[in-house]
């Protein structure tokens, strides 16, 4: 059994589906799935985890990602903090007819859709502008919603503010066993990130030897388990640094054994020191 297929139905009277949801982040399960529809996901603000194809990373101040047809991904609210608000647009490649995107006016949008097979993450002014435009889709007529959506696609097609999340030759043929194994590993990380790293223990959870687990995890998630654990810990640290806790308390609460190593890893992942990060978020 392969990665689960999600069945999607268009909104009544529309050629695509629009979702605007506000939920508590802890209600999001780790639900890695795929569907033939393309998906445009806007997270308005906050932090969380993006898992698209084999790419796994964290966003910090909202997110905007275009996911290609049949590209597996997980929900963007997983491992976020507090209330999670997002707009999701789901549409098939031929949602406007078999040949619509073959028209010369659609050349750049067609190329955008081709790039989306790798997963595209947009940032900067593009993210800010598209957040406003996507918000405008709520509450308008189906016809106006469609026209506005085409304009959004055109803006994204011309934007240079993007990252491709997977290489062209990446394979996503995870089977049921892989899904259950990764789910067990993620649950293990969530429960034990405050403890010292124990590769043998997590390898046992995955029913693999230590060398096999290290190779499997690197191949599947595209990073070492140690890097993944450190990234998870730093993401938790960011959440705690938004409170009145001291940097030293956050360091030990997130599983690091000394402040200097914590600061080094934090800067490598976030591009700034814990103190710089704390000052920045407390000013907001």
């Amino acid at each position: 059994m392969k990665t689960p297929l999600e069945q999607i139905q268009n909104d009544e009277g529309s050629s695509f589906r629009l979702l605007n949801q506000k939920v508590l982040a802890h209600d999001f399960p780790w639900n890695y799935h795929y569907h033939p529809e393309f998906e445009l996901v806007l997270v308005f603000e906050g932090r969380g985890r993006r898992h698209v194809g084999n790419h796994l990373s964290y966003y910090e101040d909202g997110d905007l990602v275009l996911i290609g047809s049949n590209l597996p991904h997980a929900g963007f609210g997983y491992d976020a903090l507090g209330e999670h608000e997002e707009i999701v647009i789901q549409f098939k490649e031929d949602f406007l007819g078999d040949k619509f995107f073959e028209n010369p006016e659609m050349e750049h949008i067609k190329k955008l859709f081709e790039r989306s097979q790798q997963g595209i993450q947009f940032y900067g002014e593009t993210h800010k502008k598209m957040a406003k435009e996507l918000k405008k889709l709520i509450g308008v007529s189906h016809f106006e919603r469609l026209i506005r959506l085409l304009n959004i696609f055109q803006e994204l097609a011309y934007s240079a503010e993007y990252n491709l999340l997977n290489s062209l030759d990446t394979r996503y043929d995870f089977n049921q066993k892989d899904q259950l194994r990764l789910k067990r590993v993620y649950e293990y990380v969530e429960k034990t990130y405050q403890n010292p790293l124990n590769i043998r223990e997590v390898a046992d959870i995955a029913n693999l030897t230590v060398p096999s687990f290290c190779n499997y995890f690197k191949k599947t998630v595209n990073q070492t388990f140690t890097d993944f654990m450190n990234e998870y810990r730093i993401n938790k640290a960011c959440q705690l640094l938004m409170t009145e806790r001291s940097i030293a308390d956050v360091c030990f609460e997130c599983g690091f054994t000394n402040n200097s190593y914590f600061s080094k890893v934090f800067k490598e992942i976030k591009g700034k020191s814990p103190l710089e990060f704390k000052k920045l978020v407390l000013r907001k």
Side-chain angles (χ1 to χ4, degrees):
M1 183 177 176
K2 297 292 185 182
T3 303
L5 168 69
E6 181 180 295
Q7 301 288 343
I8 292 172
Q9 290 186 335
N10 294 335
D11 295 337
E12 186 175 353
S14 178
S15 55
F16 59 94
R17 186 188 191 196
L18 182 148
L19 294 169
N20 177 215
Q21 49 188 1
K22 295 181 183 179
V23 295
L24 292 177
H26 62 69
D27 292 334
F28 264 79
W30 186 75
N31 179 25
Y32 192 77
H33 62 282
Y34 77 99
H35 41 72
E37 290 80 5
F38 289 72
E39 182 167 303
L40 180 62
V41 181
L42 168 74
V43 180
F44 283 96
E45 57 186 14
R47 295 170 173 80
R49 184 189 300 183
R50 72 171 71 88
H51 190 171
V52 178
N54 286 358
H55 174 94
L56 196 153
S57 58
Y58 290 91
Y59 58 86
E60 292 188 6
D61 190 18
D63 209 11
L64 179 62
V65 177
L66 179 60
I67 302 168
S69 173
N70 293 317
L71 177 57
H73 55 281
F76 283 65
Y78 185 71
D79 200 28
L81 179 67
E83 187 177 73
H84 174 84
E85 182 181 4
E86 64 182 20
I87 287 179
V88 179
I89 307 289
Q90 295 168 324
F91 57 95
K92 289 185 177 177
E93 185 173 16
D94 61 353
F95 79 110
L96 294 178
D98 290 341
K99 302 295 183 180
F100 183 81
F101 289 103
E102 298 297 327
N103 292 317
E105 295 88 348
M106 298 295 111
E107 176 187 1
H108 294 286
I109 294 178
K110 182 182 178 183
K111 290 179 179 178
L112 171 73
F113 291 171
E114 290 171 355
R115 291 197 303 273
S116 74
Q117 295 305 134
Q118 297 170 257
I120 311 174
Q121 180 253 332
F122 296 92
Y123 58 87
E125 291 304 313
T126 301
H127 178 207
K128 293 177 183 177
K129 183 176 181 180
M130 292 302 98
K132 295 176 181 177
E133 294 303 314
L134 283 162
K135 191 77 170 179
K136 293 176 184 177
L137 298 184
I138 302 169
V140 300
S141 70
H142 290 308
F143 177 79
E144 186 171 348
R145 184 177 291 176
L146 174 60
I147 299 302
R148 288 177 180 268
L149 182 61
L150 287 175
N151 283 326
I152 287 169
F153 289 157
Q154 187 76 338
E155 292 272 1
L156 294 177
Y158 277 96
S159 174
E161 296 178 308
Y162 69 86
N163 296 309
L164 297 177
L165 302 180
N166 293 277
S167 62
L168 278 171
D169 59 352
T170 304
R171 296 179 61 86
Y172 314 114
D173 52 350
F174 292 175
N175 57 30
Q176 180 80 4
K177 187 175 181 181
D178 288 324
Q179 293 298 303
L180 293 174
R181 178 177 282 159
L182 282 174
K183 188 173 188 294
R184 288 199 301 269
V185 171
Y186 289 174
E187 288 173 347
Y188 170 85
V189 170
E190 290 168 354
K191 293 176 182 176
T192 66
Y193 72 92
Q194 295 172 306
N195 303 333
L197 186 71
N198 189 327
I199 293 289
R200 182 174 296 280
E201 194 172 84
V202 71
D204 288 342
I205 292 289
N207 294 320
L208 293 169
T209 65
V210 170
S212 295
F213 171 75
C214 291
N215 291 334
Y216 167 81
F217 196 86
K218 178 68 185 295
K219 181 180 178 181
T220 304
V221 181
N222 204 30
Q223 65 182 154
T224 67
F225 181 74
T226 301
D227 288 343
F228 174 77
M229 177 66 94
N230 278 340
E231 193 169 13
Y232 186 89
R233 287 168 166 169
I234 293 301
N235 191 58
K236 289 294 182 185
C238 287
Q239 296 173 2
L240 295 176
L241 288 169
M242 297 171 68
T243 70
E244 296 302 318
R245 287 183 177 86
S246 70
I247 292 173
D249 286 344
V250 170
C251 165
F252 294 111
E253 192 167 337
C254 292
F256 292 94
T257 56
N258 65 76
N259 272 310
S260 60
Y261 181 64
F262 170 61
S263 296
K264 177 176 179 290
V265 175
F266 194 101
K267 191 160 190 176
E268 286 174 355
I269 293 175
K270 299 299 180 183
K272 54 180 71 70
S273 71
L275 180 59
E276 290 169 335
F277 178 88
K278 190 173 182 68
K279 286 180 178 178
L280 182 65
V281 296
L282 291 181
R283 279 205 303 266
K284 292 182 178 180

